Amino acid sequence: MNKRIEPATENRTGRIEDACKRYGLGRTSMKSVAAAAGAEIKIGKSYLVNYAKVDAYMDSISGVQ
């Protein structure tokens, strides 16, 4: 049997739990950062975080160019 190999891609968004792991923050802090970065995506009851916006926000507050 041939198995299909999926290309490795990085997710652009993720659930709050995944974002907490990625950035090393607790749930409340992550929600605050996501809100400040304008990275919240709410679809129905789903709450997603846009990683690109959070990355840019983190860079801006840490002084990284």
Side-chain angles (χ1 to χ4, degrees), residues 14-16 30-31 34-35 40-42 45-49:
R15 298 197 180 277
I16 188 73
M30 188 67 243
K31 280 195 168 194
E40 297 175 303
I41 303 168
K42 296 176 185 176
K45 292 183 179 182
S46 295
Y47 180 92
L48 303 173
V49 177

Side-chain angles (χ1 to χ4, degrees), residues 24-44:
L25 298 172
R27 198 172 168 89
T28 303
S29 295
M30 188 67 243
K31 280 195 168 194
S32 297
V33 168
E40 297 175 303
I41 303 168
K42 296 176 185 176
I43 303 171

Side-chain angles (χ1 to χ4, degrees), residues 9-15 19 22-23 39 41 48-55:
T9 59
E10 184 177 330
N11 292 337
R12 296 178 62 141
T13 62
R15 298 197 180 277
R22 179 181 173 124
Y23 296 104
I41 303 168
L48 303 173
V49 177
N50 181 323
Y51 295 147
K53 288 185 178 183
V54 174
D55 289 341

Side-chain angles (χ1 to χ4, degrees), residues 1-19:
M1 284 187 151
N2 292 335
K3 291 186 179 180
R4 183 176 174 173
I5 299 173
E6 297 292 328
T9 59
E10 184 177 330
N11 292 337
R12 296 178 62 141
T13 62
R15 298 197 180 277
I16 188 73
E17 294 81 12
D18 298 327

